[in-house]
Amino acid sequence: MPYSVSKRLPGEHASKLGHLEVLRSPLVQQLVQNFEQPDVSVGADRIDWQPMPPRGQQLDLIFGVDGSIQVIEDERPPHKALAFVKTALMRIDQVALSRIDKETPHPFALRDLMSDSALYHATIFPLRHVQVPGLSVYNAVRQIIFESVQDKSLDREPMETLKWLAYEKWSGVKKQLPAFQCPHCESDQATLPYDTERGTCPRCGAELFITDMMGFHLDMAEEAASDSVATAYMNIHETLLLFTGIRYFWETNSEILKRCLFVKDGPLQIRAQYSKLVNPIRRFLIHALHRGISICIIGQELDFGQIMMNSRLIPAGKTG
Ligand SMILES: [Zn+2]
C-alpha cells in the first residue's frame, strides 16, 4: 500500500515500476546476481576434508536408516492434531539385491527382501486437542515417547541403545545421567541413577523418564505439543536404530564394524536441546578409534537444485 504525503516524506506511487529504481543500484545488481548463481563451493574451504586411504577396508555391510512423519489435522475446530511417525533400519543385502530385476523390479520381491532385513517402528503422538484420560497432552506425549522407545516388537533394543549411549555403558564406568531440566519443576539438576529408565526428580520428587533428558518437554505446553516434537522424535529414533546396529556388533564381534557403512537419510545433526546424545556419541567414536575400529557413518542430504549427493563422512574421532 502506498504511503501518503507528509512533512518528512514525499508521496509514493503505487507502481511496480518504482521497484525498478532499486535494481539500478550496482550493489543490488551484484546481490541479485549472486543470489541467482548457486555457489557450489560454499564453505568448501572451511571443511577439514580427510583423504580417503588408497586401499582401505571394503565396506560391504551396508545399513540404512530412514523415517517418515505425517501430521493429521482436523479442519474443523478445535483442530485436533495427531502425528504418525515411522522409522526403519534396513540391512542392504547386496547379493539379494543383485538378483532383483533392476529395470522392472517385482514389488513382491522387494517386499520380501525388505521384510527379511529390516526393523520397523511406528508410533503416534497426540499433538493438540486429543484427550488421553487422566493425562495432559504434555504428560501424555512424555509417556508415549518413553513407551515408544521401549517398543516390545523390537525387543526393547532402542531403549537398551539409549541407555548404552546416555550412560556411556561402553566405557565400563558406572555414572549417573548427566544433569538435565526437570519437566515438572524446571530444576536443571534432574538426573537418574546408572542404568535406570525411570526415577524421581531429586528436587521435586515427581516421576522422570530417561527420555526426558532429551528435552522434548521444552517444545510443549500443557495442552499442546509442537509438530517439532514428532520430527525430533523421528530423528532421535533413527539415530537409536542406527546405533542399535553399531551396539550389536560392538558387543558381539566388533571387528565386523570395520566392514560396515551406516547411512542415515538426512543430516547427522541433532539440534538444540535434543543434542544431549551428541557428546556421548562423539566420545564413543573416539573410544572405538583408540581400539583400532573406525565406524563409518554417512548422513545423506539431497540438494534438488543440483541433484547431487552431498554426503559427509564422519570418521571416528572427528567432531565435525
Ligand atoms: Zn523436579
Side-chain angles (χ1 to χ4, degrees), residues 181-190 200-208:
Q181 196 203 66
C182 171
H184 308 285
C185 71
E186 297 183 11
S187 155
D188 285 330
Q189 295 306 310
T200 52
C201 170
R203 184 171 157 212
C204 70
E207 186 172 44
L208 296 177

